[in-house]
């Protein structure tokens, strides 16, 4: 059965008031629509852990640093509602821009540090937009748990930092990336690739997994990363915006004995693809061997 589509905060409050009065745990899955299997895995996890599940669908203008990207972002509300139908979602919250940002709205939530490098450096203002909208959506839905995909690893760390720093009464639940059979991480942007581009795109996770293997076997990060960037360029990714080894939590320099992460952003056929995977650094790694990354 299709979930009720709720467009106003008053209507959402009526539902959440009743759920809270009945002592029910509310989970939220924030999305911008164009739903795929990756989103559905978040919904399934939320359904397993919560009494009531709200999926939000809002293409947030404030997190697009490029107006053309915002204009081109797929808007597929009917299809999204249909895809969710078998999953027993309790509400599909599709607020208007004015509902989220009422006239006169003047507040930005900005998370220093973790928002700065990688995506933050290439998409100025992006994480301020994300941090602001997720804070608003958490408050609007009054959820106890929120489900985020590891595909957007840096976003996940920004949201975790935000929740910890502001003592927001919500638990962030990370969910593993969902990959197609050829390894490509699912993303709403993949549908913009031609059939040829889609086949080529599978090389991105291939290079990432090879590189992780080399680093785990003790390769020195700086030259291994440079080689992998060159390999991506040879495979037709242009530009390769970044391919970096970072600390998994802070996104700063990788440190011995701490979880590390490889993160990449690269363009193919005018489509920006991102991906990331964990790396277990060898016990022999030192600050100076890693510092060169
Ligand atoms: O990951 C996304 O789809 C968006 O960044 C989010 C978390 C829904 C905020 O607009």
């Amino acid at each position: 059965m299709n979930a009720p589509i709720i467009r106003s905060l008053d209507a959402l409050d009526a539902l959440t008031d009743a759920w809270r009065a009945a002592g029910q745990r509310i989970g939220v899955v924030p999305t911008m629509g164009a739903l795929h299997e990756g989103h559905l895995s978040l919904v399934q996890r939320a359904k397993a852990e919560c009494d009531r599940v709200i999926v939000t669908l809002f293409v947030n203008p404030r997190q697009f640093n490029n107006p053309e990207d915002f204009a081109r972002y797929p808007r597929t509300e009917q299809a999204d509602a249909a895809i969710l139908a078998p999953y027993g979602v309790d509400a599909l919250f599709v607020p208007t821009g004015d509902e989220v940002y009422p006239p006169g709205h003047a507040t930005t939530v900005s998370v220093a540090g973790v928002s700065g490098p990688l995506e933050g450096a290439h998409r100025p203002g992006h994480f301020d937009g994300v941090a602001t909208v997720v804070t608003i959506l958490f408050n609007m839905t009054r959820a106890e748990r929120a489900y985020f995909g590891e595909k957007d690893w840096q976003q996940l760390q920004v949201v975790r930092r935000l929740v910890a720093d502001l003592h927001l009464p919500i638990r962030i639940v990370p969910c593993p990336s969902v990959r197609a059979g050829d390894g490509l991480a699912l993303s709403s942007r993949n549908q913009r690739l031609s059939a040829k581009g889609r086949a080529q795109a599978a090389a991105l996770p291939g290079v990432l997994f090879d590189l992780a293997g080399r680093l785990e076997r003790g390769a020195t990060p700086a030259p291994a990363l440079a080689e992998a960037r060159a390999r991506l360029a040879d495979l037709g990714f242009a530009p390769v915006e970044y391919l970096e080894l970072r600390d998994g939590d802070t996104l700063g320099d990788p440190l011995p004995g701490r979880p590390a992460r490889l993160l990449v952003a690269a363009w193919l056929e005018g489509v920006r693809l991102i991906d990331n995977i964990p790396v277990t650094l060898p016990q022999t790694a030192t600050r100076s061997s890693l510092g060169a990354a």
Side-chain angles (χ1 to χ4, degrees):
M1 205 182 65
N2 274 13
I5 296 183
I6 310 291
R7 297 188 194 278
S8 75
L9 183 55
D10 285 348
L12 186 67
D13 279 345
L15 283 177
T16 55
D17 281 349
W19 295 342
R20 289 163 68 91
Q24 294 178 331
R25 176 189 289 161
I26 302 171
V28 64
V29 181
T31 83
M32 297 206 298
L35 302 182
H36 51 65
E37 295 285 328
H39 296 107
L40 297 177
S41 73
L42 308 182
V43 171
Q44 281 173 305
R45 178 83 180 268
K47 282 294 296 178
E49 296 182 355
C50 303
D51 302 304
R52 298 289 183 173
V53 173
I54 303 171
V55 174
T56 68
L57 195 170
F58 179 64
V59 184
N60 174 32
R62 299 214 182 169
Q63 70 187 75
F64 288 84
N65 53 313
N66 174 347
E68 277 169 33
D69 199 22
F70 174 64
R72 274 191 310 167
Y73 201 86
R75 286 157 173 87
T76 54
E77 184 182 313
Q78 297 291 322
D80 292 336
I83 263 190
L84 288 172
Y87 291 86
V89 167
D90 297 280
L92 181 55
F93 183 46
V94 191
T96 61
D98 275 359
E99 197 79 47
V100 175
Y101 302 116
H105 189 276
T107 301
T108 296
V109 181
S110 192
V111 182
V114 66
S115 294
L118 308 175
E119 291 297 290
H122 287 274
R123 304 178 67 190
H126 169 66
F127 284 126
D128 284 0
V130 170
T132 303
V133 83
V134 299
T135 306
I136 293 170
L137 293 172
F138 292 167
N139 287 334
M140 286 176 127
T141 58
R142 294 182 289 170
E144 277 175 60
R145 293 188 186 199
Y147 294 80
F148 286 85
E150 292 184 352
K151 158 86 177 13
D152 294 299
W153 183 260
Q154 192 174 3
Q155 167 172 282
L156 174 63
Q157 305 319 314
V158 169
V159 173
R160 278 174 154 166
R161 187 74 262 159
L162 156 78
V163 166
D165 289 356
L166 298 183
H167 301 271
L168 297 183
I170 191 162
R171 183 191 300 181
I172 303 304
V173 182
C175 302
S177 301
V178 178
R179 296 183 182 276
D182 61 4
L184 185 67
L186 299 192
S187 162
S188 313
R189 292 170 193 263
N190 297 352
Q191 54 184 268
R192 290 199 216 145
L193 294 166
S194 71
K196 180 169 168 262
R198 172 62 193 80
Q200 258 178 293
L204 188 70
V207 169
L208 218 49
F209 281 105
D210 278 1
L211 176 58
R214 290 188 62 194
L215 294 169
E216 292 185 347
R217 289 191 296 275
T220 306
L225 285 160
E227 253 173 59
R229 285 183 201 114
R231 206 169 136 212
L232 285 175
D234 286 348
L235 288 163
F237 293 88
V240 178
E241 279 187 356
Y242 61 79
L243 170 58
E244 305 260 356
L245 179 67
R246 295 290 173 127
D247 180 83
D249 294 338
T250 65
L251 280 307
D253 288 337
L255 294 171
R258 287 197 33 83
R261 204 96 192 164
L262 274 176
L263 302 104
V264 66
W267 291 75
L268 187 66
E269 294 186 333
V271 180
R272 187 171 187 275
L273 302 172
I274 62 170
D275 203 349
N276 69 87
I277 56 170
V279 180
T280 307
L281 295 170
Q283 304 215 321
T284 50
T286 60
R287 253 172 203 269
S288 65
S289 70
L290 295 173

